[in-house]
C-alpha cells in the first residue's frame, strides 16, 4: 500500500478551529506522517511531521497558557 500524497489525502479541520475566527488548521493522515495546513490557504503548502513529532507538538501546544 502506498502512502497517499497531500493532494490525495482526506483533509479534516481541527475540532478546536473556530467558526469565523479565521484561525483554522486542517490535518491529513499520511500513514506514518501527519500533514498540517492552513485551511484558509490550502494551496500555500503544508507541514509534514512524523506521528511522534506531531504528538510532541500537540503536547507542547496544550501546555501553553
Amino acid at each position: 500500500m502506498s502512502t497517499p500524497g497531500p493532494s490525495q489525502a482526506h483533509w479534516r479541520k481541527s475540532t478546536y478551529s473556530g467558526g469565523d475566527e479565521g484561525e483554522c488548521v486542517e490535518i491529513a493522515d499520511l500513514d506514518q506522517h501527519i500533514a498540517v495546513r492552513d485551511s484558509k490557504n490550502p494551496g500555500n503548502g503544508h507541514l509534514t511531521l512524523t506521528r511522534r513529532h506531531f504528538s510532541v507538538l500537540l503536547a507542547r501546544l496544550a501546555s501553553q497558557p
Side-chain angles (χ1 to χ4, degrees), residues 11-27 36-40 58 61:
W11 291 91
R12 63 184 179 93
K13 191 177 290 192
S14 169
T15 57
Y16 290 98
S17 293
D20 295 325
E21 297 167 11
E23 296 180 5
C24 298
V25 174
E26 293 178 321
I27 62 169
V36 182
R37 71 181 182 184
D38 180 351
S39 65
K40 296 179 309 308
L58 291 180
L61 291 173

